[in-house]
Amino acid sequence: MKFIQFHFFLIKKYCPKEKLLQIITLFYLLNLNAQVTLRIEPGVLLETDSNNLGLLLNIEPKVKASENTVIGLRFGIAINPQKIRLDDSLPYFIDEMDDNAVISFVPTYDYYFNNKYHRPYVGFGLGYYLFNDIDVSNRNSGSLNVLEGNVKNQLGFLLRGGLEIGNTRYGLEYNFMPKADIKIPDGQTIGTINNSYLGLSIGFKIGGRKTQVNSI
C-alpha cells in the first residue's frame, strides 16, 4: 500500500488534476474485477542526460486473457529520462539539477512462452505519455525570472521482455515517444526534448484476489 501511495503522490505532483482523476477512476474500475491482479515494478533508467538519478515505477492491474497471454493497464512514472537540446543561438538555459518526469498510462499485452515456474515473456503497448513543464531561464535578462517551458504530451509505444520466476518478474522495457518541442509563453520554440527511455525493473505481485488460474 505504501508503494501505491508513493506512486499517486508522484502522479499528483507532475500530472494535471483532470488527468489524475481519469487515472484513479480507471485504476478503481479495474480492481473491481475479481480476476485482476496487481504488480509493482520499481526500476532504474539505463540512458539519460540528466545529472540526477533516473528512476521508474510502474503499477499495473493485469488480467489473464488465455493460457499464455495477459492484458493490463500500466500506470508509470519515469524520473529524469530527458535528453534536452536547446537552440545554441538563443540565450536560454535549463538547470540540469532540476528533476523532470514522464507520466504514462498504457494498455499492454504480454505473451509467455511457457507455463513453467521460469517463464520468459515479451510484451508491447500503445498509450499516452504526459510531460511536465520545464523551468527555463534567460541568461541575458538580468533577473531571476524563470519562464515555463511547455512540452506537448505524446502518444508512445512500449516494448518489453524478460523472465518471470514465480511471482517475481525481471524485465527490460523501452518506451518510445517522438521528440517534442519546448515552447516558452510567447510561443517561441527554443529546443526539443527526447523523453524516450530504456529501463530495467523488478516486479512483484502484491494483492489481487485468488482465481482459478495459477498466475498472472
Side-chain angles (χ1 to χ4, degrees), residues 82-87 90 92-96 100 131-137 147-154 178-195:
Q82 72 273 8
K83 303 175 184 67
I84 298 174
R85 298 291 181 268
L86 296 184
D87 188 338
L90 299 176
Y92 298 103
F93 71 96
I94 294 172
D95 187 351
E96 296 294 337
N100 284 281
F131 306 154
N132 71 292
D133 293 332
I134 298 172
D135 291 338
V136 179
S137 300
L147 302 174
E148 186 177 86
N150 182 263
V151 182
K152 186 177 180 180
N153 300 324
Q154 302 276 6
K179 292 181 180 179
D181 291 333
I182 303 172
K183 293 186 177 182
I184 54 178
D186 65 4
Q188 182 182 17
T189 298
I190 64 170
T192 62
I193 183 169
N194 179 3
N195 276 320

Side-chain angles (χ1 to χ4, degrees), residues 45 47-48 81-83 102 131 157 174-179 193-198:
L45 303 184
E47 293 182 349
T48 176
Q82 72 273 8
K83 303 175 184 67
V102 175
F131 306 154
F157 181 78
Y174 181 68
N175 293 260
F176 171 79
M177 294 144 270
K179 292 181 180 179
I193 183 169
N194 179 3
N195 276 320
S196 297
Y197 61 89
L198 179 67

Side-chain angles (χ1 to χ4, degrees), residues 111-182:
Y111 176 79
Y112 289 87
F113 291 96
N114 62 51
N115 294 309
K116 300 177 181 179
Y117 186 74
H118 296 78
R119 308 174 68 199
Y121 72 92
V122 294
F124 65 90
L126 179 67
Y128 200 53
Y129 292 75
L130 309 173
F131 306 154
N132 71 292
D133 293 332
I134 298 172
D135 291 338
V136 179
S137 300
N138 187 333
R139 60 172 56 91
N140 295 334
S141 67
S143 69
L144 298 178
N145 292 336
V146 176
L147 302 174
E148 186 177 86
N150 182 263
V151 182
K152 186 177 180 180
N153 300 324
Q154 302 276 6
L155 285 175
F157 181 78
L158 164 68
L159 181 65
R160 64 186 180 185
L163 179 66
E164 193 169 295
I165 304 175
N167 286 326
T168 304
R169 182 155 128 156
Y170 305 89
L172 185 68
E173 65 175 71
Y174 181 68
N175 293 260
F176 171 79
M177 294 144 270
K179 292 181 180 179
D181 291 333
I182 303 172

